[in-house]
Amino acid sequence: MTISELIKSSAEITRIKADRILKENNLKKISYTKGVLQSSVLDGQEYTQTIELDNGNVKSYSCSCNKDHLLCPHLLALMIRREENKVKGDENIPVKKPKASMKNTKSNLKVILEAADKEELIEFILSLRSYYKDIPVIIRKSFLSSTDEEFLKENREELMESHNALKATSSKEILTRHFNLMLSVHERARQESKERNYLRSTLLYLLLFEMVSIPSVGMEHYLFDSHYIKTYQEALLPLAEKKYTARESQMIFDYLKQICEDLSDLSHITTLLRIMKNFITTEKDYDNYYDILLYVYEKDTVLPFDKNNLLYLEYELLMMIGKADEAKELRKENPYVPEFRFMEAESLLGRGKLYEALLIVSDGIERADRNWDELIRWLFMEAGIHKLLQNQEKYLEVSKKLITLGEYKAYLDLKRTISPNEWHSIYEKLVEDEEVKKNMKGVYKRIILQEKDKRRLLGFIEENPELISEHYDFLNPEYNQEASKLLAAYIEETAHQITGRKNYEHLTQMIEKLYIYGQTNLANDTIMNLVMRNKHKASLHTVLFQLKDAYSQSGPYMPE
């Protein structure tokens, strides 16, 4: 059978794929020697094709993509190219040799580059991969990566379609399908980064950030978004350190602008803009970013808090390009931006003007209102000023405010500052304060544990009995009786909720603690109560009686 007959008899889908291979110039290293036609195709990976010819007829053909000698698209592409060359009168197809090579070191580089066509130039530069590991990435970026726009479009359309299908009443299956899709895109982003396709990885992380910033549908969706939004932010930061071509940078900032246009949550936009500032490397990047910043600032929905953040970003941009005078002017025009006020207070502190700095701090605290992050930052500065002024009463007052806001660091700073002789009385006042005690499961618990205050910890656990197993050892031996009763009650309370051997073994480990700390009778009573209340749990009975026998003098086992 001739090559033209094989081409005519090939399947339509095979012909389409072969045409794509030829169109994308993926057919390489074509040679014809002694009746054997050979080539290689880049299709995900490199495949080798061999066709044996005898007087114009095909004797045999094979491709490394399969072991069944099928007429694959790779072989068909070679046959089509062969027929095209025959029409042109080229009976023999020579092996191509690039005009540019390492041997031309004495030649003028400009002449080499102008003489070599794109395909030859790529082959030449790829030969340098052993000299510079990033050459393949640069080549892919500069010449071969022409479908990044389609890549982003396809992924975005798929995710948007999935998100739009979600409703507050959506079934668990629909929600799960959407979350799995998000996770698969996340995995794809990680893989692209691993393969050093940094542009695609950046685009995917921007896409994921956009998706979790869209108003949530239902609590499950909200929890998923809240968990992953920080992950996507952190993933974008190291990607900013990579090198991007002008086309890639343009695409990144074009997509950033689209996100800023589509999203309504300005707090998420402000966070994203702060991250994407790190992607600025050229003058064009700067112009693109500045345009986006101004666009967001002029939105009707921007709140005063977000506006302040955007103004500070503008200040950072001006300082970045050395326009210090314009940056100072911006500060003068917007004196109540918290970041500018904070910088002013730090400047005064550096010059030893503590009282002037304290006036700005007091104003900052008042303006912070319920913005907790901003309030805490001002309070820490106020505490530092009172410490420098050696005003212990005020320092204690501000530290207590920080502790009530959950700032454990404020407690550590306070303890380091106060002398050991004074600390006990100050600690007593602190932990007896009603506002501090309200934060019982947070900073209050950490403080009494740090201070090894077993009396207060026992009172805390009486109100939160589910924590007894965690702190039972610590409470012994001083509060053995009280802690043991709490542990026994907790064991009996939770036993009916559990099933499975592992859970039963965990239960017996808690009972064993009663034996270890000398509460043998209480442990025996607890075991019998559990048996009576859980009559149908035979596996539980088995592990309980094994434990009881192990600690019983009359049983088959003796304690170690």
Side-chain angles (χ1 to χ4, degrees):
M1 193 176 273
T2 64
I3 286 179
S4 68
E5 288 172 339
L6 280 168
I7 293 171
K8 287 177 184 176
S9 63
S10 62
E12 185 178 353
I13 187 68
T14 308
R15 179 63 185 266
I16 291 169
K17 289 179 180 178
D19 289 339
R20 178 181 58 80
I21 289 167
L22 293 170
K23 185 178 179 181
E24 293 178 358
N25 292 321
N26 288 333
L27 188 65
K28 309 287 182 184
K29 300 176 185 175
I30 306 171
S31 66
Y32 180 71
T33 309
K34 296 180 181 179
V36 178
L37 182 63
Q38 290 184 313
S39 68
S40 65
V41 168
L42 292 171
D43 188 13
Q45 66 183 71
E46 189 169 322
Y47 298 107
T48 305
Q49 300 77 45
T50 303
I51 301 174
E52 287 188 46
L53 298 171
D54 185 12
N55 296 324
N57 291 319
V58 177
K59 228 173 133 182
S60 66
Y61 52 78
S62 63
C63 179
S64 60
C65 75
N66 69 84
K67 296 180 181 179
D68 301 319
H69 298 281
L70 299 173
L71 182 58
C72 64
H74 312 133
L75 282 164
L76 189 60
L78 178 57
M79 291 178 181
I80 293 169
R81 177 57 54 84
R82 169 71 177 182
E83 286 300 290
E84 287 173 354
N85 285 330
K86 277 184 71 177
V87 170
K88 293 175 185 176
D90 297 330
E91 185 59 32
N92 292 321
I93 304 170
V95 178
K96 270 199 168 185
K97 293 181 180 178
K99 293 172 186 173
S101 72
M102 290 296 290
K103 293 178 183 177
N104 294 332
T105 51
K106 293 182 180 179
S107 301
N108 185 290
L109 181 60
K110 188 177 180 183
V111 174
I112 294 172
L113 295 178
E114 287 177 351
D117 65 23
K118 187 184 291 185
E119 184 179 330
E120 292 168 340
L121 187 59
I122 291 170
E123 191 171 344
F124 164 64
I125 301 177
L126 285 175
S127 70
L128 299 177
R129 72 168 67 210
S130 60
Y131 296 90
Y132 182 47
K133 65 180 181 179
D134 282 334
I135 284 289
V137 180
I138 293 168
I139 295 304
R140 183 170 58 246
K141 286 179 175 181
S142 302
F143 300 111
L144 306 178
S145 184
S146 59
T147 58
D148 293 321
E149 291 81 2
E150 289 83 354
F151 175 80
L152 173 61
K153 185 180 177 183
E154 288 168 8
N155 281 282
R156 190 170 186 274
E157 284 177 353
E158 187 179 17
L159 274 178
M160 287 300 294
E161 186 179 344
S162 176
H163 185 275
N164 292 336
L166 294 176
K167 296 176 183 175
T169 56
S170 291
S171 66
K172 192 166 184 178
E173 289 75 17
I174 293 173
L175 284 167
T176 303
R177 198 181 306 125
H178 177 74
F179 297 148
N180 286 340
L181 179 59
M182 290 280 288
L183 293 173
S184 71
V185 173
H186 186 192
E187 184 57 38
R188 205 175 307 150
R190 291 176 63 224
Q191 190 61 34
E192 293 289 352
S193 182
K194 188 177 178 182
E195 293 177 2
R196 291 156 61 199
N197 294 326
Y198 301 126
L199 171 64
R200 292 193 172 191
S201 184
T202 299
L203 294 174
L204 286 178
Y205 278 117
L206 281 171
L207 171 60
L208 290 165
F209 188 95
E210 178 188 13
M211 294 307 301
V212 296
S213 300
I214 297 172
S216 302
V217 181
M219 183 53 69
E220 284 189 56
H221 204 288
Y222 172 78
L223 293 173
F224 180 91
D225 292 350
S226 302
H227 176 73
Y228 278 99
I229 192 164
K230 195 76 176 172
T231 304
Y232 304 145
Q233 290 172 20
E234 290 171 354
L236 282 166
L237 288 171
L239 286 168
E241 298 169 6
K242 310 304 177 184
K243 292 182 179 179
Y244 300 91
T245 64
R247 183 189 71 83
E248 290 176 324
S249 288
Q250 187 65 50
M251 191 172 177
I252 288 170
F253 285 105
D254 283 347
Y255 185 35
L256 175 63
K257 184 175 183 181
Q258 183 183 346
I259 292 172
C260 292
E261 288 173 351
D262 293 345
L263 288 182
S264 56
D265 191 329
L266 266 296
S267 62
H268 284 175
I269 291 177
T270 311
T271 303
L272 184 59
L273 285 172
R274 181 165 294 282
I275 294 168
M276 298 308 292
K277 180 170 66 69
N278 298 302
F279 282 78
I280 298 173
T281 55
T282 67
E283 211 171 297
K284 183 66 175 173
D285 294 343
Y286 178 88
D287 292 340
N288 283 327
Y289 185 90
Y290 202 86
D291 288 344
I292 295 168
L293 188 67
L294 292 178
Y295 170 81
V296 174
Y297 184 82
E298 290 167 4
K299 273 192 172 185
D300 295 334
T301 54
V302 65
L303 298 171
F305 171 72
D306 294 312
K307 200 166 255 190
N308 288 336
N309 286 331
L310 294 170
L311 283 166
Y312 183 65
L313 269 176
E314 185 179 0
Y315 170 84
E316 288 183 313
L317 281 181
L318 291 169
M319 291 297 288
M320 183 192 295
I321 59 170
K323 293 188 175 182
D325 292 337
E326 288 88 337
K328 287 177 184 176
E329 192 63 33
L330 183 68
R331 279 179 60 178
K332 284 181 184 177
E333 291 171 2
N334 303 276
Y336 291 109
V337 172
E339 290 288 352
F340 297 159
R341 297 287 280 168
F342 199 79
M343 288 164 66
E344 188 178 351
E346 283 184 322
S347 174
L348 290 168
L349 278 174
R351 287 178 281 153
K353 297 183 177 182
L354 303 183
Y355 290 103
E356 290 92 331
L358 196 57
L359 287 173
I360 294 174
V361 170
S362 299
D363 181 63
I365 290 169
E366 187 178 338
R367 290 176 181 277
D369 195 25
R370 290 186 173 276
N371 184 334
W372 303 123
D373 291 336
E374 196 176 307
L375 176 61
I376 287 167
R377 189 169 63 158
W378 283 119
L379 286 171
F380 267 116
M381 182 175 273
E382 184 184 14
I385 293 172
H386 288 309
K387 191 195 293 188
L388 291 170
L389 291 169
Q390 297 184 347
N391 188 337
Q392 185 168 298
E393 185 181 345
K394 280 287 185 183
Y395 176 57
L396 284 170
E397 183 185 327
V398 178
S399 296
K400 191 181 76 174
K401 286 180 184 177
L402 284 164
I403 291 167
T404 59
L405 291 169
E407 290 299 312
Y408 182 68
K409 182 179 177 294
Y411 152 74
L412 294 176
D413 290 344
L414 183 63
K415 187 173 182 179
R416 279 194 291 265
T417 305
I418 303 299
S419 69
N421 294 333
E422 295 179 275
W423 176 246
H424 180 71
S425 61
I426 287 173
Y427 165 72
E428 287 293 325
K429 289 178 183 176
L430 184 67
V431 291
E432 284 301 319
D433 187 277
E434 290 302 319
E435 291 299 314
V436 174
K437 289 174 82 172
K438 281 180 184 177
N439 200 332
M440 287 192 79
K441 290 193 179 181
V443 71
Y444 176 81
K445 177 190 167 187
R446 292 184 71 184
I447 290 172
I448 60 177
L449 281 171
Q450 178 68 27
E451 296 292 330
K452 296 182 171 54
D453 191 340
K454 295 187 178 184
R455 178 176 64 84
R456 285 193 173 89
L457 180 63
L458 180 65
F460 171 75
I461 290 175
E462 284 174 345
E463 296 184 28
N464 303 275
E466 70 277 6
L467 300 174
I468 182 59
S469 62
E470 183 183 344
H471 302 291
Y472 178 71
D473 293 320
F474 176 70
L475 289 169
N476 276 287
E478 290 87 346
Y479 295 98
N480 178 272
Q481 293 287 334
E482 297 89 337
S484 296
K485 287 178 182 177
L486 283 169
L487 182 61
Y490 173 71
I491 290 168
E492 291 185 25
E493 180 67 28
T494 56
H496 70 280
Q497 301 171 356
I498 64 171
T499 57
R501 189 166 187 85
K502 282 189 177 180
N503 289 327
Y504 293 158
E505 287 174 356
H506 176 67
L507 193 72
T508 57
Q509 286 168 8
M510 288 193 287
I511 298 171
E512 188 172 16
K513 285 188 177 183
L514 294 174
Y515 282 116
I516 291 168
Y517 284 100
Q519 294 290 334
T520 304
N521 292 334
L522 181 59
N524 290 336
D525 291 344
T526 302
I527 287 173
M528 295 311 297
N529 289 339
L530 291 174
V531 171
M532 294 300 293
R533 292 178 184 178
N534 300 273
K535 294 180 180 179
H536 303 295
K537 295 181 178 179
S539 298
L540 176 61
H541 296 176
T542 301
V543 294
L544 287 174
F545 283 126
Q546 282 177 349
L547 177 65
K548 189 173 184 295
D549 289 343
Y551 283 90
S552 172
Q553 296 297 323
S554 59
Y557 304 104
M558 294 294 290
E560 294 182 4

